[in-house]
Amino acid sequence: MNFQNNNDPSHGFFDPKSLLILLLFFVLFINGFSQYKPLDNSQIVAQIGNKTITIEDFLQRSELTVRPVYLKDKNTTINNLISEKILALEAAGSAIEFLNKPGIAGKLRGIKEQMMREALYYEVAFNKAQVDTAEIKKAYRLSMREYELEFYVLKTKDLAQKVQTVLDSMPDLSDEMFKEFAGVISKKPVHRINYDDTDDEAIHKALYSELLDTGTVLGPLRLNDGNYIIMKVTDYIDYPLISSEDQRLRWNKVQNKLHQAAASKLWQEFQADLMRGKKVEFDPNSFEVLKNLAFEMYLSSNAIDSLNFQIAEIVPSKPEINPNAPFFVIDDQTWTIDDFKRELLAHPLIFRTRNLTKDNFAEQFKLAIVDLIRDYYLTQESYKRGLDQSPEIDRTLAIWQDALIAQNQIKTVLEEAVSNGIINDDPEELAQYREIYVKELQKKYSPKIWINRKIYDQISLTKVDFFAFRPGMPHPTTIPAFPVLIQSNDLTYANQTADFTKPK
């Protein structure tokens, strides 16, 4: 199978999930890799032993994760973040063994390598992309138009080709064809779309490359998820911008969008050059066994969204699976089933479409593996360029390590308390015991805990849940979940100073 240049698995047409904060994450990523500066005291809100919580850590862990209502208080919020660090310190003796577990080590490696690929994108694409002023002016004018569309999604390439043949040979029949489509589903699907909507890039490019009149037919266009779409403009409205501030904001938005599109093109070209000449050949027997197992896992998981369904492991105990059997060959290198399983621990298999069926699963399974292999080569290129030597990556991994260690530590403590008969396995008793245990640790580590009161008092938090999630990525949540450890807002255990000085 030849490689395709998809660098962003599909979000589907008019998908509400694409309204999540992908752009915000993009901005955070760009700032992280292009403007990184070594930490200094002015960035640190709290220090716990040799661990720190920066302003950015505090805001991201608080604002971009879901906190229970009873943890919205600012003091309670930082109390939980500090407690997480305390638990990580308390578990220091067993932390190395825990972090070396294949699943944990694989997850951390996967997060690191995903950030490395993002840094590679910035280096070879985003930083080199350029947009002509004339192009911005044209797009600025086009951006003021909102379209009403009648659209139909075509599920197969064969059907799309038949529709294309009709449009090419008998364009006058396009109205009749749309009537037939509408008759089949009994209701015309109509949607309004403007320049700011985050739909499939093929749709945006088709609508906002030229001014379109009512009746214009677009497509069939191939979408990222492998489906095709045909659209007709049924109406449009122009919304001219009056105020100079609105005009400035729109100009900047158009400029940024064009810059990202130019960067995406460079990124796809880079991937094509990197993968040129590489062809993957699957072992038929191994592929059939693993494909069937993967489909069983998909069905048993009751997944409703295949982009979030991740095959994190291949069960080695199945008698029909030989871990040393060849799975595929690429670039004269044979990957065994065990090699594939090891890579899955760091790069869960992600499908390009949400619509997985028995009929399309084999092809989509292949495409997901192809994406994994492509990312493997991108990762190797990132290592060659030294992109693993990043303070930002190191800091992110340290945050993840502390979060995972603390989570395991409190889980172990509660399980031991239940097994020793100290408490019952009851949610209320578990919460009470956890609160008492964490407060005792706060007293124990109190001399090592400092809060920069001057910085802390300047931080304000929203109370709106804002969940940072990137669909179609091997690790879609790049910020650990908020630690739910303690309900207390008491910070008197911590040393507090107006001018922060690292504790000796």
Side-chain angles (χ1 to χ4, degrees):
M1 172 175 284
N2 291 318
F3 282 80
Q4 299 184 18
N5 295 334
N6 278 354
N7 64 311
D8 183 17
S10 165
H11 304 318
F13 187 45
F14 304 134
D15 176 14
K17 274 196 174 179
S18 64
L19 298 178
L20 292 167
I21 55 171
L22 303 183
L23 179 58
L24 173 59
F25 250 100
F26 183 79
V27 171
L28 290 175
F29 151 62
I30 293 303
N31 286 340
F33 283 107
S34 65
Q35 302 177 16
Y36 177 80
K37 296 179 181 179
L39 285 179
D40 58 47
N41 290 349
S42 66
Q43 297 170 272
I44 299 173
V45 180
Q47 179 151 345
I48 306 92
N50 62 351
K51 302 179 183 297
T52 59
I53 299 173
T54 67
I55 299 172
E56 184 179 10
D57 299 339
F58 187 33
L59 291 174
Q60 288 191 2
R61 295 294 299 280
S62 307
E63 303 277 341
L64 302 183
T65 59
V66 177
R67 285 175 292 156
V69 175
Y70 59 86
L71 298 183
K72 297 292 186 182
D73 176 78
K74 182 176 156 184
N75 282 4
T76 307
T77 298
I78 198 167
N79 212 357
N80 278 274
L81 294 175
I82 291 174
S83 298
E84 180 181 77
K85 299 297 185 184
I86 296 172
L87 282 165
L89 289 174
E90 181 69 8
S94 59
I96 295 178
E97 182 180 356
F98 171 73
L99 293 175
N100 284 331
K101 289 183 176 180
I104 300 299
K107 181 181 181 68
L108 291 171
R109 175 168 72 89
I111 292 170
K112 173 183 178 179
E113 292 177 349
Q114 181 170 292
M115 293 183 71
M116 289 167 57
R117 292 191 295 272
E118 290 175 338
L120 180 65
Y121 161 78
Y122 183 80
E123 182 176 291
V124 305
F126 188 87
N127 197 37
K128 294 183 178 181
Q130 296 181 349
V131 183
D132 185 78
T133 303
E135 186 180 359
I136 300 174
K137 288 181 179 179
K138 179 182 178 181
Y140 175 78
R141 167 65 185 93
L142 296 171
S143 72
M144 299 180 191
R145 178 163 290 192
E146 178 179 286
Y147 290 102
E148 181 182 84
L149 303 170
E150 178 183 351
F151 69 93
Y152 299 94
V153 175
L154 312 175
K155 295 293 187 180
T156 66
K157 183 178 180 180
D158 183 58
L159 178 56
Q161 288 175 337
K162 290 178 180 178
V163 170
Q164 187 68 63
T165 300
V166 172
L167 293 174
D168 290 343
S169 59
M170 296 174 285
D172 292 341
L173 294 181
S174 62
D175 287 343
E176 291 298 321
M177 183 171 59
F178 272 80
K179 288 179 181 178
E180 288 187 22
F181 281 139
V184 170
I185 65 173
S186 75
K187 182 181 179 181
K188 291 193 301 184
V190 177
H191 186 78
R192 299 197 74 88
I193 183 170
N194 60 50
Y195 187 84
D196 294 334
D197 287 340
T198 53
D199 295 301
D200 194 291
E201 182 59 29
I203 296 170
H204 182 88
K205 186 176 181 180
L207 289 173
Y208 290 98
S209 294
E210 301 289 343
L211 291 175
L212 305 175
D213 292 326
T214 301
T216 301
V217 175
L218 302 166
L221 306 173
R222 189 181 187 280
L223 304 177
N224 280 336
D225 65 359
N227 290 326
Y228 294 79
I229 190 169
I230 184 169
M231 305 179 292
K232 181 169 67 173
V233 177
T234 57
D235 195 9
Y236 65 83
I237 302 175
D238 287 324
Y239 292 99
L241 300 173
I242 306 301
S243 74
S244 58
E245 179 63 12
D246 287 343
Q247 292 172 359
R248 184 187 66 82
L249 292 173
R250 175 59 60 86
W251 179 273
N252 290 340
K253 183 175 292 185
V254 169
Q255 184 179 34
N256 290 336
K257 196 172 187 73
L258 290 176
H259 187 100
Q260 291 175 35
S264 178
K265 183 179 179 182
L266 289 176
W267 181 233
Q268 291 176 12
E269 291 171 353
F270 177 83
Q271 291 179 88
D273 288 340
L274 184 67
M275 303 308 297
R276 185 165 285 113
K278 294 180 174 63
K279 185 177 181 180
V280 59
E281 296 180 356
F282 289 95
D283 179 272
N285 293 329
S286 294
F287 180 83
E288 187 67 17
V289 169
L290 295 188
K291 182 261 294 182
N292 291 338
L293 174 60
F295 191 58
E296 288 176 14
M297 293 172 67
Y298 176 66
L299 293 178
S300 63
S301 70
N302 295 316
I304 59 174
D305 185 349
S306 63
L307 288 186
N308 297 341
F309 168 66
Q310 301 176 347
I311 302 174
E313 64 180 24
I314 297 296
V315 182
S317 60
K318 292 261 183 178
E320 68 270 29
I321 295 181
N322 175 8
N324 297 316
F327 184 31
F328 59 80
V329 176
I330 181 172
D331 211 21
D332 297 325
Q333 179 183 358
T334 299
W335 285 50
T336 65
I337 290 177
D338 202 44
D339 294 330
F340 178 58
K341 174 188 174 182
R342 193 178 306 112
E343 193 62 23
L344 282 179
L345 292 175
H347 190 300
L349 208 58
I350 308 298
F351 292 89
R352 294 184 184 181
T353 176
R354 289 189 167 90
N355 182 31
L356 287 179
T357 66
K358 185 177 181 179
D359 293 334
N360 72 3
F361 192 85
E363 181 64 17
Q364 292 300 325
F365 186 55
K366 280 186 180 179
L367 291 174
I369 296 169
V370 164
D371 289 344
L372 178 148
I373 298 170
R374 177 210 59 215
D375 282 355
Y376 169 81
Y377 281 97
L378 288 170
T379 300
Q380 299 311 303
E381 180 65 23
S382 301
Y383 277 116
K384 288 179 184 177
R385 294 171 180 248
L387 297 179
D388 55 321
Q389 305 300 315
S390 162
E392 178 68 14
I393 290 177
D394 290 343
R395 177 148 191 86
T396 299
L397 287 180
I399 292 171
W400 271 100
Q401 286 179 353
D402 288 345
L404 292 171
I405 291 169
Q407 187 181 74
N408 182 68
Q409 174 69 7
I410 197 67
K411 178 175 176 287
T412 301
V413 167
L414 293 177
E415 287 177 347
E416 288 179 353
V418 171
S419 64
N420 292 332
I422 299 174
I423 56 173
N424 294 316
D425 190 7
D426 172 78
E428 187 172 339
E429 284 193 46
L430 291 170
Q432 290 175 350
Y433 188 83
R434 182 180 63 208
E435 187 97 3
I436 294 170
Y437 175 76
V438 172
K439 283 184 177 180
E440 289 299 318
L441 287 183
Q442 288 175 347
K443 293 178 183 177
K444 175 181 176 181
Y445 287 92
S446 177
K448 299 181 179 181
I449 303 171
W450 291 70
I451 293 177
N452 182 338
R453 199 75 210 189
K454 182 178 180 180
I455 292 177
Y456 178 70
D457 288 343
Q458 293 174 354
I459 297 174
S460 60
L461 300 178
T462 66
K463 295 185 178 181
V464 178
D465 287 339
F466 205 22
F467 182 50
F469 186 78
R470 296 191 290 178
M473 299 291 284
H475 299 277
T477 53
T478 53
I479 298 174
F482 187 81
V484 179
L485 298 169
I486 188 169
Q487 296 187 39
S488 170
N489 63 359
D490 180 17
L491 298 177
T492 56
Y493 64 88
N495 301 287
Q496 302 184 41
T497 176
D499 296 308
F500 183 74
T501 302
K502 289 187 178 181
K504 296 178 181 180

